Amino acid sequence: MKTYTYTEKKDTRSGFGAGLAELGRTNPNVVALCADLIGSLKMNEFIDENPERFFQVGIAEANMMGIAAGLTIGGKIPFTGTFANFSTGRVYDQIRQSIAYSGKNVKICASHAGLTLGEDGATHQILEDIGLMKMLPGMVVINPCDYNQTKAATIAIAEHDGPVYLRFGRPSVPIFTPADQKFEIGKAIRFTEGTDVTIVATGHLVWEALEASKALNEEGISAEVINIHTIKPLDDKAILDSVSKTGCIVTAEEHNYLGGLGESVARVLAQHRPTPQEFVATNDTFGESGTPAQLMDKYGLNSDAVQKAVKKVLKRK
Amino acid sequence: MPNIQQLEDLTTQVRRDILRMVHKVNSGHPGGSLGCAEFFVSLYKEIMERNEGFDMDGKGEDLFFLSNGHISPVFYSVLARSGYFPVNELNTFRLIDSRLQGHPTTHEGLPGVRIASGSLGQGMSVAIGAAQAKKLNNDSHIVYSLHGDGELQEGQNWEAIMYASAKKVDNLISTIDLNKQQIDGSTDDVLPMGSIKAKFEAFGWTVLDIEKGNNIEAILNGMAEAKSLTGKGKPVCVLLHTVMGNGVDFMMHTHAWHGKAPNDDQLAVGLAQNAETLGDY
């Protein structure tokens, strides 16, 4: 079995910052907006190099989304930056009407998604954003898994003509994907080949899934780990191909099981190949204060939780 | 000098369009549409510098954003009669498979429309973004926007108003349709807003009034003055004092026709007060 290791940990938001900075150098149409969270979003490098292409909007996210929509009229490619909570739920109607329904080429870049924001607690930890955004017609939804993938995704979405929701996080996590990767929107990545169970993971849960597959392998369970970085459009074929071999699946995400990756996968399976599925996700709950590791443990979003879900789903085959 | 009579004739025809559009489908918003007919005609025929045809990016021309999208009838009529799409298409207003949705949208590709509006309070932010894009593109043209006075109750406006002056968005002229009516009654009854002029001024805008907001000459003079005030470091607000339902006597000075269509008899009365000038669609 192929195993993955890492030598460095970094936050995915820094991958966004690095990708944005590179876009600043290569694409003169890229502009950036922020609602008073420059440091948290790691936008400094872009701003230092392109001050005339940066718009500090202040603590006014609704206005930021509208301005971003307006900037596209004239050929700009706006990247908005704030926390995931303030990038989605707070401004849902602005995104819906002025961006999605209007078909505007805005990239909504959302940091501090999920529980791993940590100590700030539930007011800031959104676990509903994937669902909110994937329901908007035409919206692409991406949740990369490490620094390198986030950087590559940031660069790739500038080439996509249409609205995108890019979700990433706060804590330092292992870097295990290559620095020189080419990011393909909507294309799943198979990290390990396996025959007993498919594990489909997104965001921070991809590393946890790989850790789980290592432990399961030692117990003689062969897991196929697939990284779905693009929740919409979903790579249906990669999922169906894998479960046709393994016959069962676990989905893993830092999100409510309602509205998340797991539900999208369940829809594909229900339509094309009904398959036993278990969900590693939060169970229709808000988060709370704590360290990221404590929270991921308490809410069942780590390697242990993935292993348990695998054992449960294997019994249902 | 513009030919005022021609503009007035077009306005009369636009009023007929509005009445016939909402009557046909027994839905839509005639009151605010009628109140802004002179403004739209003046804007599209005289005030704005527009390129031939329609290009979404609108580089090298003035742009207009309608924030209070429910007055789509007047917007559609003037767009059609300014050559953006066939006048006959007004026949499809609010019908299934039409590009003329109840509220304006880019979704069906209707030329002349650059943003969806209808959910209120969003248009000023969009207009600001488009104005800032013009500055980045070294395009010296103006961005115009129109907002209802009741619409100013939406908080996003005040984020936008604060931002526009702070960032010196001085290529923007936002007009407020000051008809003092909204769905549930007069703005003073629903939610008194005090002095809108003082509020905009306190937020750092240059504000001017067009007291006769249904008089074409007054509009042309006022908007020319507004344009002369652009490029001076401040966004410009025009308070357009209008009469809701203007030009159809029983629809005037009341909120009753905000979102109600005339019946057959009422249509006949309204059309009789606005004799055909340029030909019905």
Side-chain angles (χ1 to χ4, degrees):
Chain A
M1 190 190 89
K2 189 170 178 185
T3 58
Y4 288 80
T5 54
Y6 68 93
T7 53
E8 193 186 1
K9 282 179 151 187
K10 247 180 176 176
D11 45 0
T12 51
R13 59 185 165 146
S14 287
F16 163 70
L20 186 66
E22 185 161 326
L23 284 172
R25 293 171 206 125
T26 57
N27 190 333
N29 286 324
V30 168
V31 299
L33 303 89
C34 188
D36 196 29
L37 286 169
I38 289 169
S40 296
L41 270 288
K42 305 292 181 187
M43 297 169 90
N44 305 76
E45 200 174 344
F46 177 92
I47 297 166
D48 289 346
E49 294 176 10
N50 313 277
E52 75 292 348
R53 283 195 270 150
F54 172 70
F55 303 91
Q56 171 62 271
V57 180
I59 311 166
E61 295 81 7
N63 189 38
M64 177 167 73
M65 293 304 168
I67 292 173
L71 281 161
T72 66
I73 302 162
K76 304 304 166 198
I77 307 172
F79 282 61
T80 67
T82 184
F83 288 176
N85 188 20
F86 313 137
S87 294
T88 57
R90 189 180 181 91
V91 289
Y92 197 63
D93 189 45
Q94 283 78 15
I95 294 173
R96 182 175 181 274
Q97 175 172 284
S98 292
I99 296 175
Y101 185 44
S102 292
K104 297 306 183 201
N105 191 21
V106 175
K107 316 306 171 187
I108 301 161
C109 302
S111 183
H112 292 55
L115 289 173
T116 48
L117 171 149
E119 292 80 355
D120 276 349
T123 55
H124 287 52
Q125 294 162 334
I126 194 162
L127 296 162
E128 308 93 50
D129 54 324
I130 291 174
L132 286 170
M133 299 311 278
K134 80 178 185 184
M135 281 196 294
L136 289 171
M139 183 68 71
V140 168
V141 179
I142 298 173
N143 187 187
C145 65
D146 72 353
Y147 173 93
N148 285 339
Q149 195 177 72
T150 308
K151 181 180 176 185
T154 303
I155 293 165
I157 60 176
E159 299 297 321
H160 172 81
D161 186 17
V164 175
Y165 179 61
L166 181 68
R167 174 195 214 242
F168 41 90
R170 179 188 184 212
S172 284
V173 292
I175 301 176
F176 56 97
T177 69
D180 60 352
Q181 67 190 280
K182 176 154 171 52
F183 187 90
E184 280 186 76
I185 294 171
K187 185 88 177 133
I189 301 168
R190 188 172 61 185
F191 276 104
T192 68
E193 282 188 59
T195 52
D196 295 330
V197 60
T198 301
I199 306 173
V200 163
T202 195
H204 292 147
L205 267 294
V206 178
W207 176 254
E208 300 299 324
L210 289 171
E211 289 286 278
S213 72
K214 250 185 269 180
L216 290 164
N217 192 50
E218 285 166 19
E219 295 180 47
I221 298 168
S222 166
E224 180 148 299
V225 176
I226 294 175
N227 170 211
I228 296 280
H229 48 63
T230 308
I231 290 131
K232 182 186 170 187
L234 192 64
D235 191 343
D236 296 10
K237 185 172 183 300
I239 295 162
L240 291 167
D241 285 352
S242 182
V243 297
S244 72
K245 185 171 58 175
T246 62
C248 66
I249 190 165
V250 167
T251 54
E253 61 195 306
E254 190 179 345
H255 191 273
N256 194 349
Y257 81 95
L258 295 168
L261 167 67
E263 273 197 356
S264 287
V265 170
R267 189 269 306 161
V268 173
L269 298 175
Q271 274 187 315
H272 300 288
R273 191 180 187 98
T275 303
Q277 176 181 356
E278 289 294 330
F279 295 72
V280 173
T282 57
N283 184 18
D284 199 18
T285 180
F286 292 105
E288 63 179 289
S289 293
T291 68
Q294 287 171 335
L295 291 162
M296 296 298 260
D297 185 50
K298 176 166 177 175
Y299 288 86
L301 301 180
N302 55 18
S303 168
D304 286 347
V306 174
Q307 292 172 54
K308 276 184 197 145
V310 164
K311 286 170 186 170
K312 198 169 167 191
V313 83
L314 282 170
K315 288 183 192 151
R316 295 173 53 202
K317 266 172 91 165
Chain B
M1 268 299 285
N3 185 326
I4 302 294
Q5 187 59 48
Q6 278 181 3
L7 297 176
E8 284 177 352
D9 286 349
L10 175 55
T11 303
T12 304
Q13 192 62 50
V14 167
R15 285 196 206 109
R16 290 180 67 89
D17 291 348
I18 293 166
L19 292 169
R20 295 175 66 233
M21 286 163 76
V22 298
H23 169 264
K24 180 180 175 185
V25 292
N26 193 28
S27 75
H29 298 78
S33 293
L34 290 166
C36 290
E38 292 86 356
F39 176 77
F40 272 85
V41 166
S42 303
L43 192 70
Y44 273 83
K45 290 298 178 183
E46 289 296 333
I47 299 164
M48 283 177 29
E49 290 177 19
R50 298 182 291 113
N51 292 337
E52 282 296 309
F54 177 72
D55 170 62
M56 179 57 80
D57 280 348
K59 289 179 181 170
E61 63 177 328
D62 292 343
L63 302 180
F64 171 71
F65 293 95
L66 176 65
S67 189
N68 47 332
H70 56 274
I71 65 168
S72 56
V74 65
F75 191 24
Y76 293 150
S77 168
V78 173
L79 283 178
R81 293 185 180 276
S82 300
Y84 286 96
F85 56 86
V87 174
N88 261 346
E89 204 169 336
L90 297 176
N91 247 325
T92 69
F93 176 61
R94 287 187 172 233
L95 295 177
I96 192 86
D97 295 329
S98 172
R99 298 196 292 180
L100 278 61
Q101 291 289 296
H103 294 78
T105 174
T106 58
H107 200 254
E108 319 301 330
L110 186 70
V113 180
R114 290 194 165 85
I115 197 78
S117 61
S119 176
L120 293 173
Q122 301 187 25
M124 195 180 295
S125 302
V126 176
I128 289 168
Q132 293 198 293
K134 284 211 175 293
K135 287 187 179 246
L136 283 174
N137 291 335
N138 295 313
D139 179 345
S140 60
H141 284 83
I142 308 274
V143 175
Y144 294 89
S145 63
L146 180 66
H147 315 262
D149 50 359
E151 186 185 8
L152 294 177
Q153 290 157 6
E154 291 282 7
Q156 185 183 344
N157 285 304
W158 301 97
E159 296 181 0
I161 292 164
M162 188 185 300
Y163 177 94
S165 59
K167 304 289 175 171
K168 299 183 169 52
V169 185
D170 59 3
N171 54 344
L172 171 69
I173 300 176
S174 292
T175 298
I176 311 300
D177 176 16
L178 210 66
N179 62 24
K180 302 192 173 177
Q181 306 288 337
Q182 56 191 110
I183 297 181
D184 280 352
S186 80
T187 51
D188 281 343
D189 286 338
V190 175
L191 185 72
M193 289 179 279
S195 169
I196 290 171
K197 183 172 193 170
K199 285 182 167 63
F200 269 92
E201 285 176 344
F203 275 69
W205 287 52
T206 300
V207 186
L208 65 95
D209 286 272
I210 298 179
E211 300 282 355
K212 294 180 178 174
N214 294 107
N215 177 296
I216 286 173
E217 272 191 86
I219 293 169
L220 293 178
N221 290 334
M223 294 306 286
E225 188 186 348
K227 189 173 176 182
S228 75
L229 294 167
T230 59
K232 298 185 189 304
K234 288 183 173 189
V236 178
C237 170
V238 173
L239 299 178
L240 185 74
H241 298 249
T242 67
V243 174
M244 205 171 185
N246 188 59
V248 179
D249 60 7
F250 61 90
M251 291 188 175
M252 292 168 70
H253 303 289
T254 171
H255 65 274
W257 295 91
H258 167 89
K260 191 173 95 174
N263 62 27
D264 292 351
D265 293 342
Q266 291 161 335
L267 174 70
V269 173
L271 292 179
Q273 293 173 11
N274 293 278
E276 200 171 339
T277 55
L278 307 179
D280 287 337
Y281 60 84

